[in-house]
Amino acid sequence: MGDTMSMVELLSPLRKIAGAGSPRAMLGGPSLRARLAIWARTCAAYYGAVALYEDLNRLSDAELARRGLTRANLARDIIAARDPAPRRRTG
């Protein structure tokens, strides 16, 4: 039992770093309300992306090309255009 630490001992350094000692300050992340709002916006963006994909997928290859799209990259291009939090490509 001498080698085990209590939760208080484990979290004590985190409280010193965070300062306030509140759970949100300790975690350093957004509130539950903010996370739910982000989730709702993301769901709405992807729902819209699905609807757009279904509409564009019905077009001919020539019509897609006229719009600067290809069928092979259609889904990726739509997600990239509609994603509220664009991802950075690495590598």
Side-chain angles (χ1 to χ4, degrees), residues 9-85:
E9 291 171 320
L10 288 171
L11 295 178
S12 182
L14 294 176
R15 286 192 177 164
K16 289 177 186 173
I17 293 169
S22 71
R24 189 182 319 158
M26 286 176 55
L27 296 176
S31 68
L32 178 60
R33 178 181 284 173
R35 287 183 290 184
L36 287 173
I38 292 167
W39 175 80
R41 283 194 303 270
T42 303
C43 286
Y46 281 106
Y47 182 81
V50 168
L52 181 59
Y53 176 83
E54 288 174 350
D55 288 342
L56 291 175
N57 194 42
R58 291 184 185 115
L59 299 177
S60 67
D61 288 344
E63 183 61 26
L64 286 173
R66 190 179 71 76
R67 296 176 186 218
L69 301 169
T70 63
R71 192 164 309 280
N73 296 326
L74 187 58
R76 186 185 67 206
D77 292 341
I78 290 171
I79 294 298
R82 308 246 343 177
D83 194 351

